[in-house]
Coordinates of all heavy atoms in Angstrom, one line a residue:
D62 N -13.8 27.9 51.2 CA -13.7 26.6 50.4 C -15.1 26.1 49.8 O -16.1 26.1 50.4 CB -13.3 25.4 51.3 CG -12.0 25.6 52.0 OD1 -11.1 26.2 51.4 OD2 -11.8 25.1 53.2
V63 N -15.0 25.9 48.5 CA -16.0 25.4 47.8 C -16.3 23.9 48.1 O -15.4 23.1 47.8 CB -16.1 25.6 46.3 CG1 -17.4 25.0 45.7 CG2 -16.2 27.2 46.1
R64 N -17.3 23.4 48.9 CA -17.4 22.1 49.2 C -18.3 21.3 48.3 O -18.2 20.1 48.2 CB -17.8 22.0 50.6 CG -16.8 22.7 51.6 CD -17.2 22.3 53.1 NE -15.9 22.8 53.8 CZ -15.9 22.7 55.1 NH1 -17.1 22.4 55.8 NH2 -14.9 23.2 55.7
T65 N -19.3 22.0 47.7 CA -20.2 21.3 46.8 C -20.5 22.2 45.7 O -20.8 23.3 45.9 CB -21.5 20.9 47.6 OG1 -21.2 20.1 48.6 CG2 -22.5 20.0 46.6
F66 N -20.5 21.7 44.5 CA -20.9 22.5 43.2 C -21.4 21.5 42.3 O -20.5 21.0 41.5 CB -19.7 23.3 42.8 CG -20.0 24.3 41.8 CD1 -20.4 25.6 42.0 CD2 -19.6 24.1 40.5 CE1 -20.6 26.5 41.1 CE2 -20.0 25.1 39.5 CZ -20.4 26.3 39.7
E67 N -22.6 21.1 42.4 CA -23.2 20.0 41.6 C -24.6 20.1 41.1 O -25.3 20.8 41.7 CB -22.8 18.7 42.4 CG -23.7 18.6 43.7 CD -23.2 17.4 44.4 OE1 -22.2 16.9 44.4 OE2 -24.0 17.0 45.3
V68 N -24.8 19.2 40.2 CA -26.2 19.0 39.7 C -26.7 17.7 40.3 O -25.9 16.7 40.5 CB -26.2 18.8 38.2 CG1 -27.5 18.6 37.7 CG2 -25.5 20.0 37.4
R69 N -27.9 17.7 40.9 CA -28.5 16.6 41.5 C -29.7 16.2 40.7 O -30.7 17.0 40.6 CB -28.9 16.9 43.0 CG -27.5 17.1 43.7 CD -27.8 16.9 45.3 NE -26.5 17.1 46.0 CZ -26.6 17.4 47.3 NH1 -27.6 17.5 47.9 NH2 -25.2 17.5 47.9
Y70 N -29.9 15.0 40.3 CA -31.0 14.6 39.5 C -31.8 13.7 40.4 O -31.2 12.9 41.2 CB -30.5 13.8 38.3 CG -29.8 14.5 37.1 CD1 -28.4 14.7 37.1 CD2 -30.6 15.1 36.1 CE1 -27.9 15.6 36.2 CE2 -30.0 15.9 35.1 CZ -28.6 16.2 35.2 OH -28.1 16.8 34.3
S71 N -33.0 13.7 40.2 CA -34.0 12.7 40.8 C -34.1 11.4 40.0 O -33.4 11.3 38.9 CB -35.5 13.4 40.9 OG -36.0 13.5 39.7
N72 N -34.8 10.6 40.4 CA -35.1 9.3 39.7 C -35.9 9.4 38.4 O -35.8 8.6 37.5 CB -35.8 8.3 40.5 CG -34.8 7.8 41.7 OD1 -33.6 7.8 41.7 ND2 -35.5 7.4 42.8
D73 N -36.5 10.6 38.3 CA -37.2 11.0 37.0 C -36.3 11.5 36.0 O -35.8 12.7 36.1 CB -38.4 11.9 37.3 CG -39.2 12.2 36.1 OD1 -39.0 11.7 35.0 OD2 -40.2 13.0 36.2
R74 N -36.0 10.8 34.9 CA -35.0 11.2 33.9 C -35.3 12.6 33.3 O -34.5 13.3 32.7 CB -34.8 10.1 32.9 CG -34.2 9.0 33.3 CD -34.0 8.0 32.4 NE -33.2 8.5 31.3 CZ -32.5 7.8 30.4 NH1 -32.3 6.7 30.6 NH2 -31.8 8.4 29.4
D75 N -36.7 12.9 33.2 CA -37.2 14.0 32.5 C -37.2 15.2 33.3 O -37.6 16.3 32.8 CB -38.5 13.8 31.8 CG -38.4 12.7 30.6 OD1 -37.3 12.7 30.0 OD2 -39.3 11.8 30.6
A76 N -37.2 15.0 34.7 CA -37.4 16.1 35.7 C -36.2 17.1 35.6 O -35.1 16.7 35.3 CB -37.6 15.6 37.0
A77 N -36.5 18.3 35.9 CA -35.4 19.4 36.0 C -34.6 19.1 37.1 O -35.1 18.8 38.3 CB -36.0 20.7 36.0
P78 N -33.2 19.1 37.1 CA -32.4 18.8 38.2 C -32.2 20.0 39.3 O -32.7 21.2 38.8 CB -31.0 18.4 37.6 CG -31.0 19.2 36.4 CD -32.5 19.4 35.8
G79 N -31.7 19.8 40.3 CA -31.4 20.8 41.3 C -29.9 21.1 41.2 O -29.2 20.3 41.0
I80 N -29.6 22.1 41.6 CA -28.1 22.7 41.6 C -28.0 22.9 43.1 O -28.7 23.6 43.8 CB -28.0 24.1 40.8 CG1 -28.5 23.9 39.4 CG2 -26.6 24.5 41.1 CD1 -27.8 22.8 38.7
V81 N -26.9 22.4 43.6 CA -26.5 22.7 45.0 C -25.1 23.2 45.1 O -24.1 22.7 44.4 CB -26.5 21.3 45.8 CG1 -26.0 21.5 47.4 CG2 -27.8 20.7 45.7
V82 N -24.8 24.3 45.8 CA -23.7 24.9 46.0 C -23.4 25.2 47.4 O -24.3 25.8 48.2 CB -23.5 26.4 45.3 CG1 -22.2 27.0 45.5 CG2 -23.8 26.2 43.8
D83 N -22.4 24.6 48.0 CA -22.0 24.7 49.5 C -20.7 25.3 49.6 O -19.8 24.9 48.9 CB -22.2 23.3 49.9 CG -22.0 23.4 51.6 OD1 -22.9 23.8 52.2 OD2 -20.9 23.0 51.8
L84 N -20.6 26.3 50.5 CA -19.2 26.8 50.7 C -19.0 27.2 52.2 O -19.9 27.5 52.9 CB -18.8 28.1 49.7 CG -19.3 29.4 50.1 CD1 -18.2 30.0 50.8 CD2 -19.6 30.2 48.9
Y85 N -17.7 27.1 52.6 CA -17.4 27.3 54.0 C -16.5 28.6 53.9 O -15.6 28.7 53.0 CB -16.7 26.2 54.5 CG -16.0 26.5 55.8 CD1 -16.6 26.6 57.0 CD2 -14.7 26.9 55.9 CE1 -15.9 26.9 58.3 CE2 -14.1 27.1 57.1 CZ -14.7 27.2 58.2 OH -14.0 27.6 59.4
A86 N -16.8 29.5 54.8 CA -16.0 30.7 54.8 C -15.6 31.0 56.3 O -16.2 30.7 57.1 CB -16.8 31.9 54.2
A87 N -14.4 31.6 56.4 CA -14.0 32.0 57.7 C -13.4 33.4 57.6 O -12.7 33.7 56.6 CB -12.8 31.1 58.1
L88 N -13.7 34.2 58.6 CA -13.1 35.5 58.7 C -12.0 35.5 59.7 O -12.1 34.9 60.8 CB -14.1 36.5 59.2 CG -15.2 37.1 58.2 CD1 -16.0 37.9 58.9 CD2 -14.6 37.6 57.0
A89 N -10.9 36.1 59.5 CA -9.7 36.2 60.3 C -9.1 37.5 60.4 O -9.1 38.1 59.4 CB -8.7 35.1 59.9
R90 N -8.5 37.7 61.5 CA -7.8 39.0 61.6 C -6.4 38.9 61.0 O -6.0 37.8 60.5 CB -7.6 39.2 63.3 CG -8.9 39.5 63.8 CD -8.7 40.0 65.2 NE -7.8 39.4 66.1 CZ -8.0 38.8 67.2 NH1 -9.2 39.0 67.8 NH2 -7.1 38.0 67.9
T91 N -5.7 39.8 60.8 CA -4.3 39.9 60.3 C -3.4 39.0 61.0 O -2.4 38.5 60.4 CB -3.9 41.3 60.2 OG1 -3.8 41.9 61.5 CG2 -4.7 42.2 59.2
D92 N -3.7 38.7 62.3 CA -2.8 37.6 62.9 C -3.2 36.3 62.8 O -2.8 35.4 63.4 CB -2.6 38.1 64.4 CG -4.0 37.9 65.1 OD1 -5.0 37.5 64.5 OD2 -4.0 38.3 66.4
D93 N -4.1 36.0 61.9 CA -4.7 34.7 61.4 C -5.5 34.1 62.6 O -5.8 32.9 62.4 CB -3.5 33.7 61.2 CG -2.9 34.1 59.7 OD1 -3.6 34.7 58.8 OD2 -1.7 33.7 59.4
Q94 N -5.9 34.8 63.5 CA -6.8 34.2 64.5 C -8.3 34.5 63.9 O -8.8 35.5 63.5 CB -6.7 35.0 65.8 CG -7.5 34.4 66.8 CD -7.3 34.9 68.2 OE1 -6.2 35.6 68.4 NE2 -8.1 34.6 69.2
A95 N -8.9 33.2 63.9 CA -10.3 33.2 63.4 C -11.3 34.2 64.2 O -11.2 34.1 65.4 CB -10.9 31.8 63.5
V96 N -12.1 34.8 63.5 CA -13.1 35.8 64.2 C -14.4 34.9 64.1 O -15.2 35.1 65.1 CB -13.1 37.1 63.5 CG1 -14.3 38.0 63.8 CG2 -11.9 37.7 63.5
S97 N -14.7 34.4 62.9 CA -16.0 33.8 62.8 C -15.9 32.9 61.6 O -15.1 33.1 60.7 CB -17.1 34.7 62.5 OG -18.3 34.2 62.5
D98 N -16.8 31.9 61.5 CA -16.8 30.9 60.4 C -18.3 30.5 60.2 O -19.0 30.6 61.0 CB -15.9 29.8 60.4 CG -16.2 28.8 61.5 OD1 -16.9 29.2 62.5 OD2 -15.8 27.7 61.5
R99 N -18.5 30.1 58.9 CA -19.9 29.7 58.6 C -19.9 28.9 57.3 O -19.0 29.1 56.4 CB -20.7 31.0 58.4 CG -22.2 30.8 58.2 CD -23.0 32.0 58.0 NE -24.2 31.7 57.4 CZ -25.0 32.4 56.8 NH1 -24.8 33.7 56.8 NH2 -26.2 32.1 56.1
N100 N -20.9 28.0 57.2 CA -21.2 27.2 56.1 C -22.3 27.9 55.3 O -23.3 28.2 56.0 CB -21.5 25.9 56.4 CG -21.3 24.9 55.3 OD1 -20.2 24.7 54.7 ND2 -22.6 24.3 54.9
F101 N -22.3 28.0 54.0 CA -23.3 28.5 53.3 C -23.9 27.5 52.2 O -22.9 26.9 51.6 CB -23.0 29.8 52.4 CG -22.6 31.0 53.2 CD1 -21.2 31.1 53.8 CD2 -23.4 32.0 53.5 CE1 -20.8 32.1 54.5 CE2 -23.0 33.1 54.2 CZ -21.7 33.1 54.7
T102 N -25.1 27.3 52.1 CA -25.7 26.3 51.2 C -26.9 26.8 50.5 O -27.7 27.3 51.1 CB -26.2 25.0 52.0 OG1 -25.1 24.4 52.6 CG2 -26.6 23.9 50.9
V103 N -26.8 26.7 49.1 CA -27.8 27.2 48.2 C -28.3 26.0 47.4 O -27.5 25.4 46.8 CB -27.5 28.4 47.5 CG1 -28.6 28.8 46.4 CG2 -27.2 29.6 48.4
T104 N -29.7 25.8 47.4 CA -30.2 24.9 46.3 C -31.1 25.6 45.4 O -32.0 26.5 45.8 CB -30.9 23.7 47.0 OG1 -30.1 23.1 47.9 CG2 -31.5 22.7 45.9
V105 N -31.0 25.5 44.1 CA -31.8 26.2 43.0 C -32.3 25.1 42.1 O -31.5 24.3 41.7 CB -30.9 27.2 42.3 CG1 -31.7 27.8 41.2 CG2 -30.5 28.3 43.2
S106 N -33.5 25.2 41.7 CA -34.0 24.2 40.7 C -33.8 24.7 39.3 O -34.1 25.9 39.0 CB -35.5 24.0 40.8 OG -35.8 23.3 42.2
A107 N -33.3 23.9 38.5 CA -33.2 24.3 37.0 C -34.5 24.4 36.3 O -35.4 23.6 36.8 CB -32.2 23.2 36.2
G108 N -34.7 25.1 35.4 CA -36.2 25.3 34.8 C -36.4 24.1 33.9 O -37.6 23.9 33.6
D109 N -35.4 23.4 33.6 CA -35.6 22.3 32.5 C -34.4 21.5 32.6 O -33.4 21.7 33.1 CB -35.8 22.9 31.2 CG -36.4 21.9 30.2 OD1 -36.7 20.8 30.4 OD2 -36.4 22.3 28.9
N110 N -34.5 20.1 32.0 CA -33.3 19.3 32.0 C -32.5 19.5 30.8 O -32.4 18.5 30.0 CB -33.8 17.8 32.2 CG -32.7 16.8 32.4 OD1 -31.6 17.3 32.7 ND2 -33.0 15.6 32.4
R111 N -32.0 20.7 30.5 CA -31.3 21.1 29.3 C -30.1 21.7 30.0 O -30.0 22.5 30.9 CB -32.1 22.0 28.5 CG -33.3 21.2 27.9 CD -34.1 22.2 27.1 NE -33.1 22.7 25.9 CZ -33.4 23.1 24.9 NH1 -34.8 23.2 24.5 NH2 -32.5 23.4 23.9
V112 N -29.0 21.8 29.1 CA -27.8 22.4 29.5 C -28.0 23.9 29.8 O -27.5 24.5 30.7 CB -26.7 22.1 28.5 CG1 -25.4 22.9 28.8 CG2 -26.3 20.6 28.4
S113 N -28.6 24.4 28.9 CA -28.9 25.9 29.0 C -29.5 26.3 30.2 O -29.1 27.3 31.0 CB -29.6 26.5 27.7 OG -30.7 26.0 27.6
A114 N -30.6 25.6 30.6 CA -31.3 25.8 31.9 C -30.3 25.5 33.1 O -30.5 26.2 34.2 CB -32.7 25.0 31.9
I115 N -29.7 24.4 33.0 CA -28.7 24.0 34.2 C -27.6 25.2 34.4 O -27.4 25.5 35.4 CB -28.1 22.7 33.9 CG1 -29.3 21.7 33.9 CG2 -27.1 22.4 34.9 CD1 -28.9 20.2 33.4
T116 N -27.1 25.6 33.2 CA -26.1 26.6 33.4 C -26.7 27.9 34.0 O -26.1 28.6 34.8 CB -25.6 27.1 32.0 OG1 -25.1 25.8 31.4 CG2 -24.4 28.1 32.0
L117 N -27.9 28.4 33.6 CA -28.5 29.5 34.2 C -28.8 29.3 35.6 O -28.7 30.1 36.6 CB -29.9 29.8 33.5 CG -30.5 31.1 33.9 CD1 -29.8 32.3 33.6 CD2 -31.9 31.1 33.1
A118 N -29.2 28.0 36.0 CA -29.4 27.7 37.5 C -28.1 27.9 38.3 O -28.2 28.3 39.4 CB -30.1 26.5 37.7
F119 N -27.0 27.4 37.6 CA -25.8 27.5 38.4 C -25.4 29.0 38.6 O -25.0 29.5 39.8 CB -24.5 26.9 37.4 CG -24.3 25.5 37.9 CD1 -24.6 24.4 37.1 CD2 -23.7 25.2 39.3 CE1 -24.2 23.0 37.4 CE2 -23.4 23.8 39.6 CZ -23.6 22.8 38.8
D120 N -25.7 29.8 37.6 CA -25.4 31.2 37.8 C -26.3 31.8 38.8 O -25.7 32.4 39.6 CB -25.7 31.8 36.4 CG -25.2 33.4 36.3 OD1 -24.2 33.6 36.7 OD2 -26.2 34.3 35.8
H121 N -27.6 31.5 38.9 CA -28.4 32.1 40.0 C -27.9 31.5 41.4 O -27.9 32.2 42.3 CB -29.8 31.6 39.7 CG -30.5 32.2 38.6 ND1 -31.8 32.3 38.5 CD2 -30.0 32.8 37.5 CE1 -32.1 33.0 37.4 NE2 -31.0 33.2 36.8
A122 N -27.6 30.2 41.5 CA -27.2 29.8 42.7 C -25.8 30.5 43.2 O -25.7 30.8 44.3 CB -26.7 28.3 42.5
V123 N -24.9 30.8 42.2 CA -23.6 31.3 42.6 C -23.9 32.8 43.1 O -23.3 33.2 44.0 CB -22.6 31.3 41.6 CG1 -21.5 32.2 41.7 CG2 -22.1 29.8 41.4
N124 N -24.8 33.5 42.3 CA -25.1 34.8 42.7 C -25.7 34.9 44.0 O -25.5 35.7 44.8 CB -26.0 35.4 41.7 CG -25.3 35.8 40.3 OD1 -24.1 36.1 40.3 ND2 -26.1 35.9 39.3
K125 N -26.6 34.0 44.3 CA -27.3 34.0 45.6 C -26.4 33.6 46.7 O -26.4 34.4 47.8 CB -28.4 32.8 45.6 CG -29.3 32.9 46.8 CD -30.4 31.9 46.7 CE -31.3 31.9 48.0 NZ -32.5 31.1 47.9
I126 N -25.4 32.7 46.6 CA -24.5 32.3 47.8 C -23.5 33.4 47.9 O -23.2 33.7 49.0 CB -24.0 30.9 47.4 CG1 -23.5 30.3 48.9 CG2 -22.6 31.0 46.5 CD1 -23.2 28.9 48.8
L127 N -23.1 34.1 46.8 CA -22.2 35.2 46.9 C -22.8 36.4 47.7 O -22.1 37.1 48.4 CB -21.6 35.5 45.7 CG -20.5 34.6 45.1 CD1 -20.1 35.0 43.7 CD2 -19.4 34.2 45.9
A128 N -24.1 36.7 47.3 CA -24.8 37.8 48.1 C -24.9 37.5 49.5 O -24.7 38.4 50.4 CB -26.2 37.9 47.4
E129 N -25.2 36.1 49.8 CA -25.2 35.9 51.3 C -23.8 36.1 52.0 O -23.8 36.5 53.1 CB -25.8 34.4 51.5 CG -27.1 34.2 51.1 CD -27.7 32.8 51.3 OE1 -26.9 32.0 52.0 OE2 -28.7 32.4 50.8
L130 N -22.8 35.6 51.2 CA -21.5 35.7 51.8 C -21.0 37.2 52.0 O -20.4 37.6 53.1 CB -20.4 35.1 50.7 CG -19.0 35.2 51.1 CD1 -18.6 34.5 52.5 CD2 -18.1 34.6 50.0
V131 N -21.4 38.1 51.0 CA -21.0 39.4 51.1 C -21.8 40.0 52.2 O -21.1 40.9 53.1 CB -21.3 40.1 49.8 CG1 -21.2 41.6 50.2 CG2 -20.4 39.7 48.7
A132 N -23.1 39.8 52.4 CA -23.9 40.3 53.6 C -23.2 39.9 54.9 O -23.2 40.5 56.0 CB -25.3 39.8 53.4
W133 N -22.9 38.5 55.0 CA -22.2 38.1 56.2 C -20.9 38.8 56.5 O -20.7 39.2 57.7 CB -22.0 36.5 56.0 CG -21.3 35.8 57.2 CD1 -21.8 35.6 58.5 CD2 -20.0 35.4 57.2 NE1 -20.9 35.0 59.1 CE2 -19.8 34.7 58.5 CE3 -18.9 35.3 56.3 CZ2 -18.5 34.2 58.8 CZ3 -17.7 34.8 56.7 CH2 -17.6 34.1 57.9
V134 N -20.0 39.0 55.5 CA -18.8 39.7 55.7 C -19.1 41.2 56.2 O -18.5 41.6 57.0 CB -17.9 39.6 54.4 CG1 -16.7 40.5 54.5 CG2 -17.5 38.2 54.2
N135 N -20.0 41.8 55.4 CA -20.3 43.2 55.8 C -20.8 43.2 57.2 O -20.7 44.4 57.9 CB -21.4 43.9 54.8 CG -20.7 44.0 53.5 OD1 -19.4 44.2 53.4 ND2 -21.5 44.2 52.5
A136 N -21.4 42.2 57.8 CA -21.9 42.3 59.1 C -20.9 41.9 60.0 O -21.1 41.7 61.3 CB -23.1 41.3 59.3
G137 N -19.6 41.7 59.6 CA -18.5 41.4 60.6 C -18.5 39.9 60.8 O -18.0 39.6 61.9
G138 N -19.1 39.1 60.1 CA -19.2 37.7 60.4 C -20.3 37.3 61.5 O -20.2 36.2 62.1
G139 N -21.2 38.3 61.5 CA -22.3 38.0 62.4 C -23.3 37.0 61.9 O -23.1 36.4 60.8
D140 N -24.4 36.8 62.6 CA -25.3 35.9 62.2 C -26.3 36.4 61.3 O -27.6 36.3 61.6 CB -26.0 35.4 63.6 CG -26.8 34.1 63.4 OD1 -26.5 33.2 62.5 OD2 -27.7 33.8 64.2
S141 N -25.9 36.8 60.2 CA -26.9 37.5 59.2 C -27.4 36.5 58.1 O -26.7 35.5 57.7 CB -26.2 38.7 58.4 OG -25.2 38.1 57.6
A142 N -28.7 36.5 57.9 CA -29.3 35.7 56.7 C -29.0 34.3 56.6 O -28.7 33.7 55.6 CB -28.9 36.4 55.4
Q143 N -29.1 33.5 57.9 CA -28.9 32.1 57.9 C -30.0 31.4 57.6 O -31.1 31.7 57.7 CB -28.3 31.7 59.2 CG -26.8 32.0 59.3 CD -26.2 31.4 60.6 OE1 -26.8 30.5 61.2 NE2 -25.0 31.8 60.9

């Protein structure tokens, strides 16, 4: 489940915002019994307060969180890269 996928601005209107992506994942066996679950959170700073920079930061955040998710799944839901 994607729980957070947002831009967060500070009080400084000219400052580059941060991107926060948070997702919850659970591994289950074919009988639907949970094997393991984990919450993943990534925060990335945009290079500038512009749509192009924010879009790129979203791309980096999604790539990073998916890499963490894949590593966790490949480890069988173990305690990898927390």
Side-chain angles (χ1 to χ4, degrees):
D62 296 331
V63 176
R64 297 192 170 173
T65 306
F66 190 81
E67 65 189 24
V68 179
R69 292 191 181 164
Y70 290 90
S71 68
N72 291 332
D73 182 0
R74 293 180 57 151
D75 296 325
I80 306 302
V81 179
V82 178
D83 182 76
L84 83 93
Y85 169 79
L88 288 179
R90 296 192 306 235
T91 56
D92 62 2
D93 288 335
Q94 183 164 349
V96 173
S97 183
D98 65 339
R99 181 170 162 203
N100 197 66
F101 297 84
T102 303
V103 171
T104 302
V105 174
S106 293
D109 195 5
N110 191 9
R111 299 180 57 156
V112 172
S113 59
I115 293 167
T116 302
L117 186 60
F119 266 116
D120 189 46
H121 288 204
V123 168
N124 285 336
K125 185 174 180 181
I126 207 164
L127 290 178
E129 290 180 15
L130 175 64
V131 168
W133 177 72
V134 169
N135 285 341
D140 196 24
S141 68
Q143 283 193 13

